[in-house]
């Protein structure tokens, strides 16, 4: 159950941009035994088991913002709701840019059901990413074992050489570089000013050219082939 709280604008001033006023936030686990609001930054950090520096980092990334009562930085229950969402996303390894995209999309939702669906979609995408990363890790472990055993030197040498058939366009190279920086498909579409469908087709073309089965493997092989910097 979400907690709602109001506070006087005469005693509180918000620093920077925050998503705390979003009308609907997805349901995520909340801390128990919430203290009376407003709470100090130390209490906020203790609620989620993070450091003050982590909270400052989220504020720098415009994910969260503190308010002020006099000279003291404080948070309200609505900020705790938002932090619970951020913390949930970070615990599953969701990149900051993906959380920024999620919050931006939540700005446009018109119902609680829509907000919950949006989070579920983001979680499903993250699950696919983790499966892809698992596949990449397994392949890398196999390569390490081959190196240790000395049974696959020739194959590894061939993989380390750029394939003469790999030729990327400027757009494909730019897209691959952004993928290596952790850009999600939604953020790629905004950055490249393309539709999500066009980005999917672009990524598929890149993966086809370098014989990759997913975007994580595409980045790993691109680095191995010297197509992008590590």
């Amino acid at each position: 159950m979400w907690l709602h709280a109001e506070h006087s604008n005469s005693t509180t001033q918000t620093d920077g941009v925050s998503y705390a006023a979003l009308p609907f936030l997805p349901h995520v686990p909340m801390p128990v035994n919430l203290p009376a609001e407003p709470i100090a930054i130390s209490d906020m950090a203790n609620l989620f088991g993070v450091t003050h520096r982590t909270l400052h980092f989220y504020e720098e990334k415009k994910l969260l913002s503190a308010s002020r009562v006099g000279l003291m930085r404080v948070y309200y229950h609505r900020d705790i709701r938002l932090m619970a969402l951020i913390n949930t996303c970070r615990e599953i390894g969701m990149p900051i840019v993906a959380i920024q995209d999620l919050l931006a999309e939540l700005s446009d939702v018109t119902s609680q059901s829509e907000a919950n669906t949006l989070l579920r979609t983001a979680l499903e995408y993250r699950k696919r990413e983790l499966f892809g990363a698992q596949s990449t890790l397994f392949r890398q472990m196999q390569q390490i074992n081959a190196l240790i055993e000395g049974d696959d030197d020739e194959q590894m040498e061939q993989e380390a050489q750029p394939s003469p058939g790999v030729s990327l366009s400027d757009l494909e190279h730019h897209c691959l570089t952004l993928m290596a920086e952790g850009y999600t498909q939604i953020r790629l579409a905004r950055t490249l000013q393309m539709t999500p469908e066009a980005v999917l087709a672009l990524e598929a073309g890149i993966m086809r050219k370098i014989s990759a089965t997913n975007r994580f493997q595409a980045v790993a092989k691109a680095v191995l082939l010297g197509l992008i910097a590590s």
Side-chain angles (χ1 to χ4, degrees), residues 161-204:
Q161 298 299 321
S163 170
V166 176
S167 177
L168 300 178
S169 67
D170 290 342
L171 178 59
E172 288 172 332
H173 185 273
H174 184 39
C175 178
L176 194 54
T177 300
L178 295 178
M179 288 165 60
E181 294 177 4
Y183 276 53
T184 63
Q185 290 170 337
I186 294 175
R187 193 173 182 87
L188 279 174
R190 291 174 178 168
T191 302
L192 299 177
Q193 297 184 335
M194 300 171 65
T195 64
E197 292 76 16
V199 168
L200 284 173
L202 180 61
E203 287 191 356

Side-chain angles (χ1 to χ4, degrees), residues 6 23 120:
E6 300 296 334
R120 182 178 180 84

Side-chain angles (χ1 to χ4, degrees), residues 121-227:
T121 300
L123 293 177
E124 290 289 347
Y125 182 80
R126 178 58 184 158
K127 184 169 71 173
R128 292 195 298 270
E129 287 183 326
L130 290 173
F131 274 126
Q134 185 179 40
S135 175
T136 299
L137 288 173
F138 179 73
R139 178 179 58 81
Q140 291 172 343
M141 287 296 296
Q142 287 182 314
Q143 291 176 337
I144 291 173
N145 288 336
L147 284 170
I148 292 174
E149 296 171 3
D151 293 335
D152 205 17
D153 292 340
E154 182 178 351
Q155 179 180 349
M156 289 297 297
E157 183 178 351
Q158 291 175 353
E159 288 183 353
Q161 298 299 321
S163 170
V166 176
S167 177
L168 300 178
S169 67
D170 290 342
L171 178 59
E172 288 172 332
H173 185 273
H174 184 39
C175 178
L176 194 54
T177 300
L178 295 178
M179 288 165 60
E181 294 177 4
Y183 276 53
T184 63
Q185 290 170 337
I186 294 175
R187 193 173 182 87
L188 279 174
R190 291 174 178 168
T191 302
L192 299 177
Q193 297 184 335
M194 300 171 65
T195 64
E197 292 76 16
V199 168
L200 284 173
L202 180 61
E203 287 191 356
I206 294 171
M207 290 186 285
R208 185 169 57 252
K209 283 187 177 183
I210 60 180
S211 302
T213 57
N214 56 62
R215 67 200 322 259
F216 284 92
Q217 191 180 74
V219 170
K221 293 194 70 173
V223 172
L224 185 66
L225 295 172
L227 298 174

Side-chain angles (χ1 to χ4, degrees), residues 61-80:
K61 295 299 181 180
K62 307 302 182 185
L63 298 176
L64 191 68
S65 69
S67 300
R68 290 191 183 276
V69 173
L71 298 177
M72 184 171 63
R73 295 164 60 83
V74 298
Y75 298 92
Y76 288 83
H77 285 170
R78 67 185 190 184
D79 303 310
I80 296 175

